[in-house]
Amino acid sequence: MLPKGVIGKIQANVSKPCFWKSLSSGQNWKSKSMRIIPDEFVGSTPGDFEHSVVISVRWGNSWQLWLEREKDDLYMIEEDWDEFVDDNHLGPNDNLFFRHDDTMFLEVQIFKNNGDEIMDVPLEVEPETEPLHSNTQSSYKDTATAASASASVEFSANGGTNGRAKEGCADIKNPERYLLNPENPYFVKTLAKKIDVLYVPKPVIQMYGLKFGPHDSTMSYLLPNDKINGLTKFYADGKSVCFNGWAGLCRKYNLKAGDSVVCELERSGGLVTAVRVHFFNENMR
């Protein structure tokens, strides 16, 4: 565990509700007790965490975890929590600091017992998406985690990755041909299970210098003969951005885990105000 002095220093400038998780003797990260959300935290955020929670980490990766109640206790369901543990390779020397960000949203920092914070993608965790607007026709496999600017993936000549690739991830060749405006920023999104918001990968934001409207400002998803409204959401770091309303779009168009779409970002007045969603498969329309 972290020394109490280090814990106090980390929490000193945090005004929002928060809690810690670390292992005690006889526990591992997949123990049932690790899945519980403390009563004090739930009580300090009334109504914010009832059905699911979206957890984000420093490097932009995010997971949605469904919640369940057992008597008076609120738990993250086992399958979703175990995926979070595996993706981050949590071990006995890790300490998790959870901080309330917004309704359904938590930010988590991972610290080693010596106080060092993990600031980048743990080894062997695949990136979700990467910017694709370049002269190459390579495309990333979009997995259950989001992209990191420092993540490294090698490409083969046919555009596939030389590393691990998850089953069911579609490979969209030459995604530029789907764009309404070839000058627009874009990325390929392959659905992961239970993610109910659309994250804009940080490398895409950085590459194009993207700017967004204020927190909770209206945006739109543009589809053939359809328009679905959503909201722009910021995390506490002011750099991680997502759009809600994505889950409703996926249900309406029967998009499932493994399906891929091209997300073309539309700007107005210098701000991203819409995502034009391109289906590459006729069966998905």
Side-chain angles (χ1 to χ4, degrees), residues 227-258:
K227 178 180 178 180
I228 298 174
N229 291 327
L231 295 175
T232 301
K233 296 284 186 179
F234 282 89
Y235 287 105
D237 63 6
K239 299 177 182 179
S240 302
V241 184
C242 68
F243 302 120
N244 75 359
W246 181 247
L249 184 154
C250 293
R251 286 193 297 268
K252 183 173 183 178
Y253 288 90
N254 197 30
L255 298 178
K256 301 175 182 178

Side-chain angles (χ1 to χ4, degrees), residues 10-281:
I10 293 169
Q11 290 186 207
N13 296 318
V14 177
S15 58
K16 293 187 176 182
C18 58
F19 62 93
W20 288 87
K21 285 188 179 293
S22 58
L23 296 181
S24 300
S25 178
Q27 288 182 319
N28 63 65
W29 283 106
K30 293 185 179 180
S31 298
K32 185 176 180 179
S33 57
M34 289 291 101
R35 296 191 282 115
I36 194 169
I37 298 180
D39 288 341
E40 296 83 357
F41 179 83
V42 175
S44 64
T45 56
D48 280 9
F49 302 98
E50 295 183 354
H51 305 294
S52 67
V53 59
V54 176
I55 297 176
S56 67
V57 290
R58 285 290 203 185
W59 49 92
N61 294 11
S62 299
W63 295 258
Q64 184 187 13
L65 292 79
W66 290 98
L67 305 175
E68 61 183 0
R69 282 202 173 271
E70 292 187 16
K71 297 182 179 179
D72 295 328
D73 295 325
L74 186 63
Y75 289 87
M76 295 170 276
I77 70 169
E78 183 175 4
E79 178 184 4
D80 294 344
W81 174 253
D82 288 355
E83 181 179 29
F84 173 80
V85 169
D86 290 340
D87 283 349
N88 289 288
H89 301 280
L90 296 182
N93 294 321
D94 291 320
N95 304 265
L96 305 185
F97 179 52
F98 292 85
R99 179 174 55 189
H100 180 249
D101 182 32
D102 200 349
T103 301
M104 288 177 54
F105 287 84
L106 289 176
E107 286 192 340
V108 63
Q109 295 170 255
I110 304 175
F111 294 90
K112 294 297 183 180
N113 281 343
N114 62 4
D116 290 343
E117 182 179 359
I118 305 300
M119 299 295 292
D120 209 341
V121 182
L123 294 177
E124 300 182 5
V125 177
E126 289 186 79
E128 181 182 30
T129 54
E130 276 285 326
L132 298 169
H133 203 283
S134 64
N135 293 328
T136 66
Q137 295 183 1
S138 300
S139 63
Y140 272 91
K141 301 294 185 180
D142 182 12
T143 70
T145 56
S148 168
S150 61
S152 174
V153 178
E154 294 182 7
F155 293 96
S156 59
N158 64 1
T161 63
N162 288 330
R164 297 177 298 120
K166 291 197 174 185
E167 293 183 5
C169 290
D171 188 6
I172 299 182
K173 306 291 185 182
N174 192 19
E176 293 91 345
R177 66 191 176 96
Y178 294 95
L179 302 181
L180 187 66
N181 179 353
E183 298 301 316
N184 280 343
Y186 73 94
F187 58 95
V188 173
K189 170 70 178 179
T190 299
L191 273 69
K193 65 176 183 178
K194 297 181 180 177
I195 297 298
D196 63 353
V197 291
L198 177 65
Y199 295 93
V200 182
K202 284 186 178 179
V204 175
I205 297 173
Q206 295 165 355
M207 174 174 283
Y208 299 106
L210 298 179
K211 297 181 179 180
F212 302 84
H215 186 70
D216 282 340
S217 58
T218 302
M219 55 77 63
S220 301
Y221 297 100
L222 306 177
L223 301 103
N225 304 312
D226 196 6
K227 178 180 178 180
I228 298 174
N229 291 327
L231 295 175
T232 301
K233 296 284 186 179
F234 282 89
Y235 287 105
D237 63 6
K239 299 177 182 179
S240 302
V241 184
C242 68
F243 302 120
N244 75 359
W246 181 247
L249 184 154
C250 293
R251 286 193 297 268
K252 183 173 183 178
Y253 288 90
N254 197 30
L255 298 178
K256 301 175 182 178
D259 289 339
S260 295
V261 298
V262 177
C263 295
E264 179 180 0
L265 303 179
E266 299 277 0
R267 290 177 282 193
S268 177
L271 304 179
V272 176
T273 56
V275 178
R276 192 173 295 276
V277 181
H278 300 279
F279 301 114
F280 77 98
N281 185 335

